[in-house]
Amino acid sequence: MVPRYARPAMTALWTPEARYRIWFEIEAHATDALAELGVVPRAAAEALWRWWATNPAIDVDAIDAIEAVTKHDVIAFLTWVAEQVGEEARFMHQGMTSSDVLDTCLAVQLARAADILLDDLDALLAVLKRRAIEHKFTPTIGRSHGIHAEPVTFGLKLAQAYAEFARHRVRLSAARADIATCAISGAVGTFANIDPGVEAHVAAKMGLTVEPVSTQVIPRDRHAMFFATLGVIASSIERLATEIRHLQRTEVLEAEEYFAPGQKGSSAMPHKRNPVLTENLTGLARMVRGYVTPALENVALWHERDISHSSVERYIGPDATITLDFALARLTGVVDKLLVYPERMQKNLDRMGGLIHSQRVLLALTQAGASREHAYALVQRNAMKVWESDGALSLNALLKQDTEVTALLTPAEIDAKFDLDYHYKNVEAIFARTFGD
């Protein structure tokens, strides 16, 4: 985790103290259930909660010192708690194994991280919707292969991003539900030394569901799907960031990141206004995606348990969620303050002498009786003259001078095919099915 790219709420989920507090709750709830079953004394569970009610500070350094000797983090934690609680703490962890605590804790952390990310997506969706409606009918050029194609609106660009991130919200909700599972099943997952009711009790208390078959660990296909979902979200962040970066290029300049008073773009060139935030988002997206492959490789563990996944998850759990949280918040800020230049958009629309209307002329010629092949050739031979003139010539004017074209279409009919508004007749319908209102 790099503090530069971290926000407090998400970071707080992954501190050692937060982890140990979750561990304690898991152990204490399990002891409650064991007491109900008569396996341990009720006083043991009460002693744990009585100590917890004092809201004790977790001495991370002391636990680390014990682990330096035991070489086992869960044993170090249990030892430290026993030193604080006293004699009754010996009934903690009855019939449990370390993975019961570690995996259930990770499920809690990832579920809570998902809740923050879902809130982040809601904030981004709200901004995308507002800006899309603002620019619903702001004309701009659509590009394919980076080349002028046909007109769109800037609102449609943002509506497409809204629909994309709305799908991600559904995916993340499903991934959250999938990851929020509890395993308190003991060594190799057979419940030989602990009743399944304990698992059900802990799951209910921690806001989880029970894992149907856990072996000694929760199956890592769940985690793989969770991190894959984060990776796909990151890719969409990059897609929108890349769009903004292209639109901010000097020769395009249809939109750009907000440039604050006093902000500097270059140490050498005072004129620079660089797309630094969206470039940063492109890099952060690469990092989040980079955590997906290790998560996929964690699925193939040996037999009922090994710990080859453990070191991986100590990295990717915090780093992927913290980085994505930061990236979503940054993208929301970029879209919220994005500077949009409709006049430049119109200038770029007009730049290539009307070539953007070539398809309408092609279709009109076919409807007037020309074969598609001949109609294509008629339009293309005039369009190439405009292209080679870098837009200095007019496609409309050249078509009116082409006798083979005018034999099929009148000047008024040609003019009608250069109507910009024609391309926007279904914008309202697209918005209605995107936003549902």
Side-chain angles (χ1 to χ4, degrees):
M1 186 274 291
V2 178
R4 184 183 183 94
Y5 305 127
R7 302 203 304 159
M10 185 67 86
T11 303
L13 287 179
W14 298 101
T15 63
E17 181 169 352
R19 181 175 72 253
Y20 290 141
R21 288 189 175 278
I22 296 169
W23 285 11
F24 178 84
E25 291 180 37
I26 293 166
E27 294 281 6
H29 287 309
T31 307
D32 271 340
L34 289 165
E36 285 295 314
L37 293 169
V39 176
V40 305
R42 166 55 56 191
E46 292 172 350
L48 291 174
W49 289 115
R50 188 164 52 249
W51 172 72
W52 193 245
T54 67
N55 194 29
I58 304 295
D59 192 339
V60 175
D61 290 340
I63 297 170
D64 287 347
I66 297 170
E67 185 182 351
V69 176
T70 63
K71 312 300 183 188
H72 196 292
D73 53 356
V74 174
I75 291 174
F77 172 74
L78 294 172
T79 301
W80 179 80
V81 172
E83 291 172 353
Q84 315 309 307
V85 175
E87 178 69 15
E88 277 125 338
R90 74 183 188 276
F91 293 105
M92 275 198 307
H93 208 67
Q94 291 282 308
M96 295 170 61
T97 188
S98 299
S99 292
D100 292 336
V101 180
L102 297 172
D103 278 12
T104 301
C105 174
L106 182 58
V108 171
Q109 289 175 301
L110 291 177
R112 292 176 182 175
D115 289 336
I116 294 174
L117 294 173
L118 287 166
D119 287 343
D120 293 341
L121 284 170
D122 287 339
L124 176 58
L125 288 167
V127 168
L128 284 169
K129 181 176 181 180
R130 175 173 61 79
R131 299 304 306 266
I133 292 171
E134 177 187 351
H135 292 286
K136 183 190 295 186
F137 289 108
T138 300
T140 192
I141 185 62
R143 297 172 174 90
S144 57
H145 307 278
I147 308 301
H148 283 205
E150 293 194 353
V152 295
T153 75
F154 193 65
L156 283 174
K157 285 178 177 281
L158 296 175
Q160 191 278 330
Y162 177 94
E164 189 170 348
F165 282 102
R167 291 192 294 274
H168 290 323
R169 198 191 191 288
V170 174
R171 291 170 182 139
L172 184 57
S173 294
R176 186 210 183 280
D178 206 34
I179 201 66
T181 56
C182 170
I184 308 290
S185 53
V188 301
T190 61
F191 296 101
N193 293 299
I194 193 164
D195 190 280
V198 176
E199 181 182 69
H201 177 80
V202 174
K205 290 295 184 179
M206 302 302 293
L208 307 173
T209 59
V210 298
E211 178 61 49
V213 183
S214 61
T215 69
Q216 193 164 312
V217 294
I218 293 174
R220 258 46 194 180
D221 63 289
R222 296 182 182 275
H223 303 73
M225 181 56 71
F226 184 86
F227 288 103
T229 300
L230 303 192
V232 176
I233 295 172
S235 291
S236 292
I237 291 174
E238 183 178 14
R239 191 203 65 76
L240 184 53
T242 300
E243 177 73 15
I244 293 169
R245 290 169 61 194
H246 279 301
L247 295 179
Q248 188 164 336
R249 287 181 299 131
T250 304
E251 62 272 23
V252 178
L253 203 55
E254 295 176 357
E256 68 173 335
E257 295 175 10
Y258 175 72
F259 196 81
Q263 183 175 341
K264 304 293 187 291
S266 166
S267 64
M269 296 168 282
H271 73 277
K272 295 296 291 297
R273 288 166 63 129
N274 301 326
V276 293
L277 300 179
T278 45
E279 287 176 341
N280 170 254
L281 287 171
T282 297
L284 295 178
R286 293 171 186 166
M287 294 307 299
V288 176
R289 283 198 304 271
Y291 300 128
V292 176
T293 296
L296 293 170
E297 292 174 345
N298 275 354
V299 174
L301 300 180
W302 284 18
H303 307 299
E304 279 61 52
R305 196 237 175 153
D306 71 47
I307 64 165
S308 60
H309 64 289
S310 176
S311 56
V312 172
E313 289 167 357
R314 289 175 193 265
Y315 279 104
I316 69 175
D319 283 9
T321 56
I322 289 171
T323 304
L324 188 61
D325 169 54
F326 180 89
L328 285 168
R330 170 154 286 185
L331 181 60
T332 299
V334 168
V335 175
D336 182 44
K337 293 185 173 183
L338 189 69
L339 302 175
V340 180
Y341 302 122
E343 297 83 4
R344 185 58 176 256
M345 291 178 179
Q346 186 64 54
K347 183 178 179 180
N348 286 339
L349 274 166
D350 297 337
R351 186 184 180 282
M352 292 304 290
L355 291 182
I356 58 177
H357 301 289
S358 68
Q359 181 180 191
R360 292 205 65 206
V361 180
L362 165 67
L363 296 177
L365 287 169
T366 61
Q367 291 165 357
S371 70
R372 182 176 179 85
E373 292 74 16
H374 186 51
Y376 196 105
L378 291 177
V379 177
Q380 187 180 45
R381 74 188 184 192
N382 289 287
M384 290 303 100
K385 295 176 184 176
V386 178
W387 181 280
E388 290 159 7
S389 76
D390 196 25
L393 297 176
S394 163
L395 179 62
N396 188 322
L398 290 177
L399 290 170
K400 289 175 182 176
Q401 296 168 15
D402 189 318
T403 57
E404 287 191 79
V405 174
T406 55
L408 295 165
L409 298 175
T410 68
E413 288 173 329
I414 294 172
D415 285 339
K417 304 311 171 188
F418 287 77
D419 176 18
L420 190 64
D421 289 338
Y422 170 87
H423 295 274
Y424 304 141
K425 61 181 182 293
N426 289 311
V427 168
E428 289 285 9
I430 296 171
F431 268 64
R433 68 187 189 183
T434 301
F435 301 108
D437 49 29

